[in-house]
Coordinates of all heavy atoms in Angstrom, one line a residue:
M174 N -54.3 -33.0 -49.0 CA -52.9 -33.4 -49.3 C -52.9 -34.2 -50.6 O -53.5 -35.2 -50.7 CB -52.3 -34.1 -48.1 CG -50.9 -34.5 -48.4 SD -50.1 -35.5 -47.1 CE -50.5 -34.8 -45.6
P175 N -52.0 -33.8 -51.5 CA -51.9 -34.6 -52.8 C -51.2 -35.9 -52.5 O -50.4 -36.1 -51.6 CB -51.1 -33.7 -53.7 CG -50.4 -32.8 -52.8 CD -51.2 -32.6 -51.6
P176 N -51.6 -36.9 -53.3 CA -50.9 -38.3 -53.2 C -49.5 -38.2 -53.5 O -49.0 -37.4 -54.3 CB -51.7 -39.2 -54.1 CG -52.3 -38.2 -55.2 CD -52.5 -36.9 -54.5
I177 N -48.7 -39.1 -52.9 CA -47.3 -39.2 -53.2 C -47.1 -39.9 -54.4 O -47.6 -41.1 -54.6 CB -46.5 -39.8 -52.0 CG1 -46.6 -39.0 -50.7 CG2 -45.0 -40.1 -52.3 CD1 -46.0 -39.6 -49.5
T178 N -46.3 -39.3 -55.4 CA -46.0 -40.0 -56.7 C -44.7 -40.7 -56.6 O -43.9 -40.5 -55.6 CB -46.0 -39.0 -57.8 OG1 -44.9 -38.1 -57.5 CG2 -47.3 -38.2 -57.9
F179 N -44.4 -41.5 -57.6 CA -43.2 -42.3 -57.6 C -42.0 -41.3 -57.7 O -41.0 -41.5 -57.1 CB -43.1 -43.3 -58.8 CG -41.8 -44.0 -58.8 CD1 -41.6 -45.0 -57.9 CD2 -40.8 -43.7 -59.7 CE1 -40.4 -45.7 -57.9 CE2 -39.6 -44.4 -59.7 CZ -39.4 -45.4 -58.8
S180 N -42.2 -40.2 -58.4 CA -41.1 -39.2 -58.5 C -40.8 -38.5 -57.2 O -39.7 -38.1 -57.0 CB -41.4 -38.2 -59.6 OG -42.5 -37.5 -59.3
D181 N -41.8 -38.5 -56.3 CA -41.6 -38.0 -54.9 C -41.0 -39.1 -54.1 O -40.1 -38.8 -53.2 CB -42.9 -37.5 -54.3 CG -43.5 -36.4 -55.0 OD1 -42.8 -35.5 -55.5 OD2 -44.8 -36.3 -55.0
L182 N -41.4 -40.3 -54.2 CA -41.0 -41.4 -53.4 C -39.6 -41.9 -53.7 O -38.8 -42.2 -52.8 CB -42.0 -42.5 -53.5 CG -41.8 -43.7 -52.6 CD1 -41.9 -43.3 -51.1 CD2 -42.9 -44.8 -52.9
A183 N -39.2 -41.9 -54.9 CA -37.9 -42.4 -55.3 C -36.7 -41.8 -54.6 O -35.9 -42.5 -54.0 CB -37.7 -42.3 -56.8
P184 N -36.6 -40.4 -54.5 CA -35.5 -39.8 -53.8 C -35.5 -40.2 -52.3 O -34.5 -40.3 -51.7 CB -35.7 -38.3 -54.0 CG -36.6 -38.2 -55.2 CD -37.4 -39.4 -55.2
M185 N -36.7 -40.3 -51.8 CA -36.8 -40.6 -50.3 C -36.3 -42.1 -50.1 O -35.6 -42.3 -49.1 CB -38.3 -40.5 -49.9 CG -38.8 -39.1 -49.9 SD -40.6 -39.2 -49.3 CE -41.2 -37.7 -50.1
L186 N -36.6 -43.0 -51.0 CA -36.1 -44.3 -50.9 C -34.6 -44.4 -51.0 O -33.9 -45.1 -50.2 CB -36.8 -45.2 -51.9 CG -38.3 -45.5 -51.7 CD1 -38.8 -46.2 -52.9 CD2 -38.5 -46.2 -50.4
V187 N -34.1 -43.6 -51.9 CA -32.6 -43.6 -52.1 C -32.0 -43.0 -50.9 O -31.0 -43.5 -50.4 CB -32.3 -42.8 -53.4 CG1 -30.8 -42.5 -53.5 CG2 -32.7 -43.5 -54.6
L188 N -32.5 -41.9 -50.4 CA -32.0 -41.3 -49.2 C -32.0 -42.3 -48.0 O -31.1 -42.4 -47.2 CB -32.7 -40.0 -48.8 CG -32.3 -39.3 -47.6 CD1 -30.9 -38.8 -47.6 CD2 -33.2 -38.1 -47.3
G189 N -33.2 -42.9 -47.8 CA -33.3 -43.9 -46.7 C -32.3 -45.0 -46.8 O -31.7 -45.4 -45.8
A190 N -32.1 -45.5 -48.0 CA -31.1 -46.6 -48.2 C -29.7 -46.1 -48.0 O -28.9 -46.8 -47.3 CB -31.2 -47.1 -49.7
A191 N -29.4 -44.9 -48.4 CA -28.0 -44.3 -48.2 C -27.8 -44.1 -46.7 O -26.7 -44.4 -46.2 CB -27.9 -43.0 -48.9
L192 N -28.8 -43.6 -46.0 CA -28.6 -43.4 -44.5 C -28.5 -44.7 -43.8 O -27.7 -44.8 -42.9 CB -29.8 -42.6 -44.0 CG -30.0 -41.2 -44.5 CD1 -31.3 -40.6 -44.0 CD2 -28.8 -40.3 -44.2
G193 N -29.2 -45.7 -44.2 CA -29.1 -47.0 -43.6 C -27.7 -47.6 -43.9 O -27.1 -48.2 -43.0
L194 N -27.2 -47.4 -45.1 CA -25.9 -48.0 -45.4 C -24.8 -47.3 -44.6 O -24.0 -48.0 -44.0 CB -25.6 -47.7 -46.9 CG -24.2 -48.1 -47.4 CD1 -24.0 -49.6 -47.4 CD2 -23.9 -47.5 -48.7
F195 N -24.8 -46.0 -44.5 CA -23.8 -45.3 -43.8 C -23.9 -45.6 -42.3 O -22.9 -45.8 -41.6 CB -23.9 -43.7 -44.0 CG -23.3 -43.3 -45.3 CD1 -24.2 -42.8 -46.2 CD2 -22.0 -43.4 -45.5 CE1 -23.7 -42.3 -47.4 CE2 -21.5 -43.0 -46.7 CZ -22.3 -42.4 -47.7
G196 N -25.1 -45.7 -41.8 CA -25.3 -46.0 -40.4 C -24.8 -47.4 -40.0 O -24.2 -47.7 -39.0
G197 N -25.1 -48.4 -40.9 CA -24.7 -49.7 -40.7 C -23.2 -50.0 -40.9 O -22.6 -50.7 -40.1
V198 N -22.7 -49.4 -41.9 CA -21.3 -49.7 -42.2 C -20.3 -48.8 -41.3 O -19.3 -49.4 -40.8 CB -21.0 -49.3 -43.7 CG1 -19.5 -49.4 -44.0 CG2 -21.7 -50.3 -44.6
F199 N -20.6 -47.6 -41.1 CA -19.7 -46.7 -40.4 C -20.1 -46.5 -39.0 O -19.4 -45.9 -38.2 CB -19.6 -45.4 -41.1 CG -19.0 -45.5 -42.5 CD1 -19.8 -45.2 -43.6 CD2 -17.7 -45.9 -42.8 CE1 -19.4 -45.3 -44.9 CE2 -17.2 -46.1 -44.0 CZ -18.1 -45.8 -45.1
G200 N -21.3 -46.9 -38.6 CA -21.8 -46.7 -37.2 C -22.1 -45.3 -36.9 O -22.2 -44.9 -35.7
I201 N -22.4 -44.4 -37.9 CA -22.7 -43.1 -37.6 C -24.3 -43.0 -37.6 O -24.9 -43.8 -38.3 CB -22.1 -42.1 -38.6 CG1 -22.6 -42.4 -40.0 CG2 -20.6 -42.1 -38.5 CD1 -22.3 -41.3 -41.0
G202 N -24.8 -42.0 -37.0 CA -26.2 -41.8 -37.0 C -26.6 -41.2 -38.3 O -25.9 -40.3 -38.9
G203 N -27.7 -41.7 -38.9 CA -28.2 -41.1 -40.1 C -28.6 -39.6 -40.1 O -28.6 -38.9 -41.1
G204 N -28.9 -39.2 -38.8 CA -29.2 -37.8 -38.7 C -28.1 -36.8 -39.0 O -28.3 -35.7 -39.4
I205 N -26.9 -37.3 -38.9 CA -25.7 -36.5 -39.3 C -25.8 -36.1 -40.8 O -25.5 -35.0 -41.2 CB -24.4 -37.2 -39.0 CG1 -24.2 -37.4 -37.6 CG2 -23.2 -36.5 -39.7 CD1 -23.0 -38.3 -37.2
I206 N -26.4 -37.0 -41.6 CA -26.5 -36.7 -43.0 C -27.9 -36.2 -43.3 O -28.1 -35.3 -44.1 CB -26.2 -38.0 -43.8 CG1 -24.8 -38.4 -43.6 CG2 -26.5 -37.8 -45.3 CD1 -24.5 -39.8 -44.0
A207 N -28.9 -36.8 -42.6 CA -30.3 -36.5 -42.9 C -30.7 -35.1 -42.7 O -31.4 -34.5 -43.5 CB -31.2 -37.5 -42.2
I208 N -30.3 -34.5 -41.5 CA -30.8 -33.2 -41.2 C -30.3 -32.2 -42.2 O -31.2 -31.4 -42.7 CB -30.3 -32.8 -39.7 CG1 -31.0 -33.7 -38.7 CG2 -30.6 -31.3 -39.4 CD1 -30.5 -33.6 -37.3
P209 N -29.0 -32.1 -42.6 CA -28.7 -31.2 -43.7 C -29.4 -31.4 -45.0 O -29.8 -30.5 -45.7 CB -27.2 -31.3 -43.8 CG -26.7 -31.9 -42.5 CD -27.9 -32.8 -42.0
V210 N -29.6 -32.7 -45.3 CA -30.3 -33.0 -46.6 C -31.7 -32.5 -46.5 O -32.3 -32.0 -47.5 CB -30.2 -34.5 -46.9 CG1 -31.2 -34.9 -48.0 CG2 -28.8 -34.9 -47.2
F211 N -32.4 -32.7 -45.4 CA -33.8 -32.3 -45.2 C -33.9 -30.7 -45.3 O -34.8 -30.2 -45.9 CB -34.4 -32.7 -43.9 CG -34.7 -34.2 -43.8 CD1 -34.7 -34.8 -42.6 CD2 -34.9 -35.0 -44.9 CE1 -35.0 -36.2 -42.5 CE2 -35.1 -36.3 -44.9 CZ -35.2 -36.9 -43.6
V212 N -32.9 -30.0 -44.7 CA -32.9 -28.6 -44.7 C -32.6 -28.0 -46.1 O -33.3 -27.2 -46.6 CB -32.0 -28.0 -43.6 CG1 -31.8 -26.5 -43.8 CG2 -32.5 -28.3 -42.2
L213 N -31.5 -28.5 -46.7 CA -31.0 -28.0 -47.9 C -31.8 -28.6 -49.1 O -32.0 -27.8 -50.1 CB -29.5 -28.2 -48.1 CG -28.6 -27.6 -47.0 CD1 -27.2 -28.1 -47.2 CD2 -28.7 -26.1 -47.0
G214 N -32.1 -29.8 -49.1 CA -32.7 -30.5 -50.2 C -34.2 -30.4 -50.3 O -34.8 -30.4 -51.3
Y215 N -34.8 -30.4 -49.1 CA -36.3 -30.5 -49.0 C -36.9 -29.2 -48.5 O -38.1 -29.0 -48.3 CB -36.8 -31.6 -48.2 CG -36.6 -33.0 -48.9 CD1 -35.5 -33.7 -48.6 CD2 -37.5 -33.5 -49.8 CE1 -35.3 -35.0 -49.3 CE2 -37.4 -34.7 -50.4 CZ -36.2 -35.4 -50.1 OH -36.0 -36.6 -50.8
G216 N -36.0 -28.2 -48.1 CA -36.5 -26.9 -47.6 C -37.2 -27.0 -46.2 O -37.9 -26.1 -45.9
M217 N -36.9 -28.0 -45.4 CA -37.5 -28.0 -44.1 C -36.8 -27.1 -43.2 O -35.6 -26.8 -43.3 CB -37.3 -29.4 -43.5 CG -38.1 -30.5 -44.1 SD -37.9 -32.1 -43.2 CE -38.8 -33.2 -44.1
D218 N -37.6 -26.6 -42.2 CA -36.9 -25.8 -41.1 C -36.1 -26.8 -40.3 O -36.4 -28.0 -40.2 CB -38.0 -25.2 -40.2 CG -38.8 -24.1 -40.9 OD1 -38.2 -23.5 -41.8 OD2 -39.9 -23.8 -40.5
Q219 N -35.1 -26.3 -39.6 CA -34.2 -27.2 -38.8 C -34.9 -28.0 -37.8 O -34.7 -29.2 -37.7 CB -33.1 -26.3 -38.2 CG -32.0 -27.1 -37.5 CD -32.3 -27.4 -36.1 OE1 -33.0 -26.7 -35.4 NE2 -31.8 -28.6 -35.6
P220 N -35.8 -27.4 -37.0 CA -36.5 -28.2 -36.0 C -37.3 -29.4 -36.6 O -37.3 -30.5 -36.1 CB -37.4 -27.2 -35.3 CG -36.8 -25.9 -35.5 CD -36.2 -26.0 -36.8
L221 N -38.0 -29.1 -37.7 CA -38.7 -30.2 -38.4 C -37.8 -31.2 -38.9 O -38.1 -32.4 -38.8 CB -39.6 -29.6 -39.5 CG -40.4 -30.6 -40.4 CD1 -41.4 -31.4 -39.5 CD2 -41.1 -29.9 -41.5
A222 N -36.7 -30.8 -39.5 CA -35.7 -31.8 -40.0 C -35.1 -32.6 -38.9 O -35.0 -33.8 -39.0 CB -34.6 -31.0 -40.7
Q223 N -34.9 -32.0 -37.8 CA -34.3 -32.8 -36.6 C -35.4 -33.7 -36.1 O -35.0 -34.9 -35.8 CB -33.9 -31.8 -35.5 CG -33.1 -32.4 -34.4 CD -32.5 -31.4 -33.5 OE1 -32.4 -30.2 -33.8 NE2 -32.2 -31.8 -32.3
G224 N -36.6 -33.3 -36.0 CA -37.6 -34.2 -35.5 C -37.9 -35.4 -36.4 O -38.1 -36.5 -36.0
T225 N -37.8 -35.1 -37.7 CA -38.0 -36.1 -38.7 C -36.9 -37.2 -38.6 O -37.1 -38.4 -38.7 CB -38.1 -35.5 -40.1 OG1 -39.1 -34.6 -40.2 CG2 -38.3 -36.6 -41.2
A226 N -35.7 -36.7 -38.5 CA -34.5 -37.6 -38.3 C -34.6 -38.4 -37.1 O -34.3 -39.6 -37.1 CB -33.2 -36.8 -38.3
L227 N -35.2 -37.9 -36.0 CA -35.4 -38.6 -34.8 C -36.4 -39.7 -35.0 O -36.2 -40.9 -34.5 CB -35.8 -37.7 -33.6 CG -34.8 -36.8 -33.1 CD1 -35.4 -35.8 -32.1 CD2 -33.7 -37.6 -32.4
V228 N -37.5 -39.4 -35.7 CA -38.5 -40.5 -35.9 C -37.9 -41.6 -36.8 O -38.2 -42.8 -36.6 CB -39.7 -39.8 -36.6 CG1 -40.7 -40.9 -37.1 CG2 -40.4 -38.9 -35.6
M229 N -37.1 -41.2 -37.8 CA -36.4 -42.2 -38.7 C -35.6 -43.2 -37.9 O -35.4 -44.3 -38.3 CB -35.6 -41.5 -39.7 CG -36.3 -40.8 -40.8 SD -35.3 -39.8 -41.9 CE -33.9 -40.8 -42.1
M230 N -35.0 -42.8 -36.7 CA -34.1 -43.7 -36.0 C -34.9 -44.8 -35.3 O -34.3 -45.8 -35.0 CB -33.4 -42.8 -35.0 CG -32.4 -41.9 -35.6 SD -31.3 -41.0 -34.4 CE -32.1 -41.1 -32.9
V231 N -36.1 -44.6 -35.0 CA -36.8 -45.6 -34.2 C -36.8 -47.0 -34.8 O -36.4 -48.0 -34.0 CB -38.3 -45.2 -33.9 CG1 -39.1 -46.3 -33.2 CG2 -38.3 -43.9 -33.1
P232 N -37.1 -47.2 -36.0 CA -37.1 -48.6 -36.5 C -35.6 -49.2 -36.5 O -35.4 -50.4 -36.2 CB -37.5 -48.5 -38.0 CG -38.2 -47.2 -38.1 CD -37.7 -46.3 -37.0
N233 N -34.6 -48.3 -36.8 CA -33.3 -48.8 -36.8 C -32.8 -49.2 -35.4 O -32.2 -50.2 -35.2 CB -32.3 -47.7 -37.3 CG -32.5 -47.5 -38.8 OD1 -33.0 -48.3 -39.5 ND2 -32.2 -46.3 -39.2
L234 N -33.2 -48.4 -34.4 CA -32.9 -48.7 -33.0 C -33.5 -50.0 -32.6 O -32.9 -50.8 -31.9 CB -33.2 -47.6 -32.1 CG -32.4 -46.3 -32.3 CD1 -33.0 -45.2 -31.5 CD2 -31.0 -46.5 -32.0
L235 N -34.8 -50.2 -32.9 CA -35.5 -51.4 -32.5 C -34.9 -52.7 -33.1 O -34.7 -53.7 -32.4 CB -37.0 -51.3 -32.8 CG -37.8 -50.3 -32.0 CD1 -39.2 -50.2 -32.5 CD2 -37.8 -50.7 -30.5
V236 N -34.6 -52.6 -34.4 CA -34.0 -53.7 -35.1 C -32.6 -54.0 -34.5 O -32.2 -55.2 -34.2 CB -33.9 -53.5 -36.6 CG1 -33.0 -54.6 -37.3 CG2 -35.3 -53.5 -37.2
G237 N -31.8 -53.0 -34.3 CA -30.5 -53.1 -33.7 C -30.5 -53.7 -32.3 O -29.8 -54.7 -32.0
W238 N -31.5 -53.3 -31.5 CA -31.6 -53.8 -30.1 C -32.0 -55.3 -30.2 O -31.5 -56.1 -29.5 CB -32.6 -53.0 -29.3 CG -32.8 -53.6 -28.0 CD1 -32.0 -53.6 -26.9 CD2 -33.9 -54.4 -27.6 NE1 -32.5 -54.3 -25.9 CE2 -33.7 -54.8 -26.2 CE3 -35.1 -54.8 -28.2 CZ2 -34.6 -55.6 -25.5 CZ3 -36.0 -55.6 -27.5 CH2 -35.8 -56.0 -26.2
W239 N -33.0 -55.6 -31.1 CA -33.5 -57.0 -31.2 C -32.3 -57.9 -31.6 O -32.1 -59.0 -31.0 CB -34.6 -57.0 -32.2 CG -35.1 -58.4 -32.6 CD1 -35.7 -59.3 -31.8 CD2 -34.9 -59.0 -33.9 NE1 -36.0 -60.4 -32.5 CE2 -35.5 -60.3 -33.8 CE3 -34.4 -58.6 -35.1 CZ2 -35.6 -61.2 -34.8 CZ3 -34.4 -59.5 -36.2 CH2 -35.0 -60.8 -36.0
R240 N -31.5 -57.5 -32.6 CA -30.4 -58.3 -33.1 C -29.3 -58.5 -31.9 O -28.8 -59.5 -31.8 CB -29.7 -57.7 -34.3 CG -30.6 -57.8 -35.5 CD -30.9 -59.2 -36.1 NE -29.6 -59.7 -36.5 CZ -29.3 -61.0 -36.6 NH1 -30.2 -61.9 -36.3 NH2 -28.1 -61.3 -37.1
Y241 N -29.1 -57.4 -31.2 CA -28.1 -57.5 -30.2 C -28.6 -58.4 -29.1 O -27.8 -59.2 -28.6 CB -27.9 -56.1 -29.6 CG -26.9 -56.0 -28.4 CD1 -25.5 -56.0 -28.7 CD2 -27.3 -56.1 -27.1 CE1 -24.6 -56.0 -27.6 CE2 -26.4 -56.1 -26.1 CZ -25.1 -56.1 -26.3 OH -24.2 -56.1 -25.3
A242 N -29.8 -58.3 -28.7 CA -30.4 -59.1 -27.6 C -30.4 -60.6 -28.0 O -30.4 -61.4 -27.1 CB -31.8 -58.6 -27.3
Q243 N -30.4 -60.9 -29.3 CA -30.3 -62.3 -29.6 C -29.0 -63.0 -29.2 O -28.9 -64.2 -28.9 CB -30.5 -62.5 -31.1 CG -31.9 -62.3 -31.6 CD -32.1 -62.4 -33.1 OE1 -31.1 -62.1 -33.9 NE2 -33.2 -62.8 -33.5
H244 N -27.9 -62.2 -29.2 CA -26.6 -62.7 -28.9 C -26.2 -62.3 -27.5 O -25.3 -63.0 -26.9 CB -25.6 -62.2 -29.9 CG -25.8 -62.6 -31.3 ND1 -25.6 -63.9 -31.7 CD2 -26.4 -61.9 -32.3 CE1 -26.0 -64.0 -33.0 NE2 -26.4 -62.8 -33.4
H245 N -26.7 -61.2 -26.9 CA -26.3 -60.8 -25.6 C -27.6 -60.3 -24.9 O -27.9 -59.1 -24.9 CB -25.3 -59.6 -25.7 CG -24.2 -59.8 -26.6 ND1 -23.1 -60.6 -26.2 CD2 -23.9 -59.5 -27.9 CE1 -22.2 -60.7 -27.1 NE2 -22.7 -60.0 -28.2
P246 N -28.3 -61.3 -24.3 CA -29.6 -60.9 -23.6 C -29.4 -59.9 -22.5 O -28.4 -59.9 -21.8 CB -30.1 -62.2 -23.0 CG -29.3 -63.3 -23.8 CD -28.0 -62.7 -24.2
V247 N -30.3 -58.9 -22.5 CA -30.3 -57.9 -21.5 C -31.5 -58.2 -20.6 O -32.6 -58.4 -21.0 CB -30.5 -56.5 -22.1 CG1 -30.6 -55.4 -21.1 CG2 -29.4 -56.2 -23.1
P248 N -31.3 -58.2 -19.2 CA -32.4 -58.5 -18.3 C -33.5 -57.4 -18.5 O -33.2 -56.2 -18.6 CB -31.7 -58.4 -16.9 CG -30.3 -58.6 -17.2 CD -30.0 -58.1 -18.5
A249 N -34.7 -57.8 -18.5 CA -35.8 -56.9 -18.8 C -35.9 -55.8 -17.8 O -36.1 -54.6 -18.2 CB -37.2 -57.7 -18.8
H250 N -35.6 -56.0 -16.5 CA -35.7 -54.9 -15.6 C -34.7 -53.8 -15.8 O -35.0 -52.6 -15.7 CB -35.6 -55.4 -14.1 CG -34.3 -56.0 -13.8 ND1 -33.9 -57.2 -14.1 CD2 -33.3 -55.4 -13.0 CE1 -32.7 -57.5 -13.7 NE2 -32.3 -56.4 -13.0
R251 N -33.5 -54.2 -16.3 CA -32.5 -53.2 -16.6 C -32.9 -52.4 -17.9 O -32.7 -51.2 -18.0 CB -31.1 -53.9 -16.9 CG -30.5 -54.3 -15.6 CD -29.1 -54.8 -15.8 NE -28.5 -55.3 -14.6 CZ -27.4 -55.9 -14.5 NH1 -26.7 -56.2 -15.6 NH2 -27.0 -56.4 -13.4
A252 N -33.4 -53.1 -18.9 CA -33.8 -52.5 -20.1 C -34.9 -51.5 -19.9 O -34.9 -50.4 -20.4 CB -34.2 -53.5 -21.2
I253 N -35.9 -51.9 -19.0 CA -37.0 -51.0 -18.7 C -36.5 -49.8 -17.9 O -36.9 -48.6 -18.2 CB -38.1 -51.8 -17.9 CG1 -38.8 -52.8 -18.9 CG2 -39.1 -50.8 -17.3 CD1 -39.7 -53.8 -18.2
A254 N -35.6 -50.0 -16.9 CA -35.1 -48.9 -16.1 C -34.3 -47.9 -17.0 O -34.5 -46.7 -16.9 CB -34.2 -49.4 -15.0
I255 N -33.5 -48.4 -17.9 CA -32.8 -47.5 -18.8 C -33.7 -46.8 -19.7 O -33.6 -45.6 -20.0 CB -31.7 -48.3 -19.6 CG1 -30.6 -48.8 -18.7 CG2 -31.1 -47.5 -20.7 CD1 -29.7 -49.8 -19.3
G256 N -34.7 -47.5 -20.2 CA -35.7 -46.9 -21.1 C -36.5 -45.7 -20.5 O -36.7 -44.7 -21.0
V257 N -36.9 -46.0 -19.2 CA -37.6 -44.9 -18.5 C -36.7 -43.7 -18.2 O -37.1 -42.6 -18.4 CB -38.2 -45.5 -17.2 CG1 -38.7 -44.4 -16.3 CG2 -39.3 -46.5 -17.5
I258 N -35.5 -44.0 -17.8 CA -34.6 -42.9 -17.5 C -34.3 -42.1 -18.8 O -34.3 -40.9 -18.8 CB -33.3 -43.4 -16.9 CG1 -33.6 -43.9 -15.5 CG2 -32.2 -42.3 -16.9 CD1 -32.4 -44.7 -14.9
A259 N -34.1 -42.8 -19.9 CA -33.9 -42.1 -21.2 C -35.1 -41.3 -21.6 O -34.9 -40.2 -22.1 CB -33.5 -43.2 -22.2
C260 N -36.3 -41.8 -21.5 CA -37.5 -41.1 -21.8 C -37.6 -39.8 -21.0 O -37.9 -38.7 -21.6 CB -38.7 -42.0 -21.7 SG -38.8 -43.2 -23.0
V261 N -37.4 -39.9 -19.7 CA -37.6 -38.7 -18.9 C -36.5 -37.7 -19.2 O -36.8 -36.5 -19.3 CB -37.5 -39.2 -17.4 CG1 -37.4 -37.9 -16.5 CG2 -38.7 -40.0 -17.0
T262 N -35.3 -38.1 -19.3 CA -34.2 -37.2 -19.7 C -34.4 -36.6 -21.0 O -34.2 -35.4 -21.2 CB -32.9 -38.0 -19.7 OG1 -32.7 -38.6 -18.4 CG2 -31.7 -37.0 -19.9
T263 N -34.9 -37.3 -22.0 CA -35.1 -36.8 -23.3 C -36.3 -35.8 -23.3 O -36.2 -34.7 -23.9 CB -35.5 -38.0 -24.3 OG1 -34.4 -38.9 -24.4 CG2 -35.8 -37.4 -25.7
W264 N -37.3 -36.1 -22.5 CA -38.4 -35.1 -22.4 C -37.9 -33.8 -21.9 O -38.2 -32.7 -22.4 CB -39.5 -35.7 -21.5 CG -40.7 -34.8 -21.4 CD1 -41.7 -34.7 -22.3 CD2 -41.0 -33.9 -20.3 NE1 -42.6 -33.8 -21.9 CE2 -42.2 -33.2 -20.7 CE3 -40.3 -33.5 -19.2 CZ2 -42.8 -32.3 -19.9 CZ3 -40.9 -32.5 -18.4 CH2 -42.1 -31.9 -18.7
F265 N -37.1 -33.8 -20.8 CA -36.6 -32.5 -20.2 C -35.7 -31.8 -21.2 O -35.8 -30.6 -21.4 CB -35.8 -32.8 -18.9 CG -36.8 -33.0 -17.7 CD1 -36.9 -34.2 -17.1 CD2 -37.5 -31.9 -17.3 CE1 -37.7 -34.3 -16.0 CE2 -38.4 -32.0 -16.2 CZ -38.5 -33.3 -15.6
M266 N -34.8 -32.6 -21.9 CA -33.9 -31.9 -22.8 C -34.6 -31.4 -24.1 O -34.2 -30.4 -24.6 CB -32.8 -32.9 -23.2 CG -31.9 -33.3 -22.0 SD -31.3 -31.9 -21.0 CE -30.3 -31.0 -22.2
A267 N -35.7 -32.1 -24.5 CA -36.4 -31.6 -25.6 C -37.1 -30.3 -25.3 O -37.2 -29.4 -26.1 CB -37.5 -32.7 -26.1
R268 N -37.7 -30.2 -24.1 CA -38.3 -28.9 -23.6 C -37.2 -27.8 -23.6 O -37.5 -26.7 -24.0 CB -38.9 -29.1 -22.3 CG -40.2 -30.0 -22.3 CD -41.0 -30.0 -21.1 NE -41.3 -28.7 -20.5 CZ -42.4 -28.0 -20.8 NH1 -43.3 -28.5 -21.7 NH2 -42.6 -26.9 -20.2
F269 N -36.0 -28.1 -23.1 CA -35.0 -27.2 -23.1 C -34.6 -26.7 -24.6 O -34.5 -25.6 -24.9 CB -33.7 -27.7 -22.4 CG -32.5 -26.9 -22.5 CD1 -32.4 -25.7 -21.8 CD2 -31.5 -27.2 -23.4 CE1 -31.3 -24.9 -21.9 CE2 -30.3 -26.4 -23.4 CZ -30.3 -25.3 -22.7
A270 N -34.5 -27.7 -25.5 CA -34.1 -27.4 -26.8 C -35.2 -26.6 -27.6 O -34.8 -25.7 -28.4 CB -33.8 -28.7 -27.6
N271 N -36.4 -26.9 -27.3 CA -37.5 -26.1 -27.9 C -37.5 -24.7 -27.4 O -38.1 -23.8 -28.1 CB -38.9 -26.8 -27.6 CG -39.1 -27.9 -28.5 OD1 -38.6 -27.9 -29.7 ND2 -39.8 -29.0 -28.1
A272 N -37.0 -24.4 -26.3 CA -36.9 -23.0 -25.7 C -35.8 -22.2 -26.4 O -35.8 -21.0 -26.3 CB -36.7 -23.0 -24.2
I273 N -34.9 -22.9 -27.1 CA -33.8 -22.2 -27.8 C -34.3 -21.7 -29.2 O -34.9 -22.5 -29.9 CB -32.6 -23.1 -27.9 CG1 -32.1 -23.5 -26.5 CG2 -31.5 -22.4 -28.7 CD1 -31.0 -24.5 -26.6
S274 N -33.9 -20.5 -29.6 CA -34.3 -20.1 -30.9 C -33.5 -20.9 -32.0 O -32.3 -21.1 -31.9 CB -33.9 -18.6 -31.1 OG -34.0 -18.2 -32.4
P275 N -34.2 -21.3 -33.1 CA -33.6 -22.1 -34.1 C -32.5 -21.3 -34.9 O -31.7 -21.9 -35.6 CB -34.7 -22.6 -35.0 CG -35.9 -21.9 -34.6 CD -35.7 -21.3 -33.3
K276 N -32.6 -20.0 -34.8 CA -31.6 -19.2 -35.5 C -30.3 -19.2 -34.7 O -29.2 -18.9 -35.2 CB -32.2 -17.8 -35.7 CG -33.4 -17.8 -36.5 CD -33.8 -16.5 -36.9 CE -35.1 -16.4 -37.7 NZ -35.7 -17.5 -38.3

């Protein structure tokens, strides 16, 4: 794999900043913008673009939860229960989504 150059990295940084801005200011998920940009601008297949957008959300969600918990603590047992339920549900729905043709 060739190394990433600044000319490759610069548009990614701009895109990341724009998605963070829209997500923070308007409360929309960056995936709404990222998935079409990945497909149209970077030539990714839709499933790869969707997976990439999902991975991009992890740091934002962790920081958001951390900041929220500073002002509104969530009991650990509730957070763990919700997290487990969300993971199991996501696993089943991801299997279902992968069975659907991307076309």
Side-chain angles (χ1 to χ4, degrees):
M174 179 185 313
I177 296 177
T178 64
F179 180 74
S180 62
D181 294 329
L182 187 60
M185 293 179 207
L186 292 172
V187 170
L188 178 61
L192 295 175
L194 174 73
F195 284 113
V198 172
F199 300 112
I201 62 170
I205 293 171
I206 300 166
I208 294 170
V210 169
F211 290 156
V212 171
L213 300 173
Y215 288 94
M217 289 183 182
D218 291 334
Q219 186 273 331
L221 177 60
Q223 188 170 341
T225 303
L227 288 171
V228 171
M229 288 173 39
M230 291 184 343
V231 172
N233 293 334
L234 294 170
L235 290 174
V236 169
W238 176 75
W239 173 66
R240 293 290 295 155
Y241 179 85
Q243 288 179 329
H244 299 286
H245 308 282
V247 178
H250 68 282
R251 286 189 184 166
I253 291 169
I255 291 169
V257 168
I258 291 168
C260 287
V261 169
T262 304
T263 300
W264 183 82
F265 280 111
M266 295 313 294
R268 290 189 50 91
F269 172 74
N271 281 328
I273 299 172
S274 170
K276 296 190 183 347

